[in-house]
Amino acid sequence: MSVKYIKTPHLPERKVGLLALGERYRQALEAALLARGVEPLWLPDTPGVDTRLAGHADLALFHAGGSTVVSAGTPDADDDLARRGFTVLRAGSPLGKTYPLDARLCGCLVGAVFLHDERITDKALLRALPDGVKIARTRQGYAKCAACVVDSRSIITADAGVARAAESAGLDVLRIAPGHIELEGFGHGFIGGAAFKLARETLAFTGRMDAHPDWACMEAFLRSRSVEPAFLTDMPAFDIGSALPLSER
C-alpha cells in the first residue's frame, strides 16, 4: 500500500469548540474531550432507527458548514443549537428503522465534495449544501461513517465504492483493510465512525488504532498532511457514528 505525500502549508491551529456526539458515549469520552478543551453537545438517541445505531450523531445531524445544520429532529438538542445561533433545518423526511431510510443525513462533506447517494439524501440537506459543492455519488448510504475526513481534500476509508467516488472527485484517498473497529451488535464498525477532527492538526480516534494492520500507512498518511493522531481512550477503537465539529475556538 503506497502513500502519496503532499506538502501542506502551515496554517494557524484552529481547534474545535463545540462537538456533537451521541449521549450514550458520554461516560467513555467526556473526560478526554473536556481535557482537550472541547465542549461536547450530547445528542439523545434518535427515535425510529435501529436501537444499535440510535446514538450515532451522523444519522441525527448534518453540519452543512458555517452555522447551518440539518436535524432529524431531537427537540432539546435543536433548541440548544438555535440558542447558540445555529440555523437548524428540519429534515424533510423522517428516518426509518432500516437502511437506507436511516441514512438520509449520513452524507460526508469533504471540502467542496459531498459523498453520498443523492437518491436517498434528504432533500433539505441537498438544499443546505454550500454553493459550488460537487456531489460524488456512492452507493454507500453510510458515507459519513465509512469515510474518515483527514482534511479538505483527503480521506481514509475501507469502502471501495466510497474510495472510487472520492478519487473521481479529485480527493486523495488512503484505502485500508476493513474491520478492527468495534461496533456493538455488529461484526465490526467503520473508520469514519470511530474518528473525528479536534483541530486542524489533530484527528481523534475513540480508542487505539495501532493494532490495525494498516496503522503504519494511516499514521504516515496523516503526518504527510500535518495531522497528528490522538487516541482518546486505551480501549480498541469503537464506532460511535462519528462526532460533528460545529464550531471552532
Side-chain angles (χ1 to χ4, degrees), residues 19-106:
L19 184 77
L21 67 164
E23 189 173 30
R24 65 170 64 179
Y25 305 106
R26 186 169 191 160
Q27 183 175 355
L29 297 175
E30 183 174 40
L33 294 174
L34 293 177
R36 291 177 175 272
V38 176
E39 181 185 0
L41 175 67
W42 301 107
L43 302 179
D45 284 4
T46 305
V49 303
D50 187 318
T51 56
R52 296 171 295 178
L53 303 177
H56 283 205
D58 58 12
L59 301 185
L61 199 68
F62 177 83
H63 185 207
S67 60
T68 301
V69 297
V70 184
S71 172
T74 50
D76 289 346
D78 291 354
D79 290 346
D80 191 351
L81 285 168
R83 284 192 296 270
R84 294 170 184 264
F86 285 86
T87 299
V88 182
L89 305 176
R90 187 67 179 268
S93 302
L95 299 183
K97 186 172 184 179
T98 58
Y99 177 86
L101 301 179
D102 59 349
R104 298 183 189 277
L105 300 182
C106 202

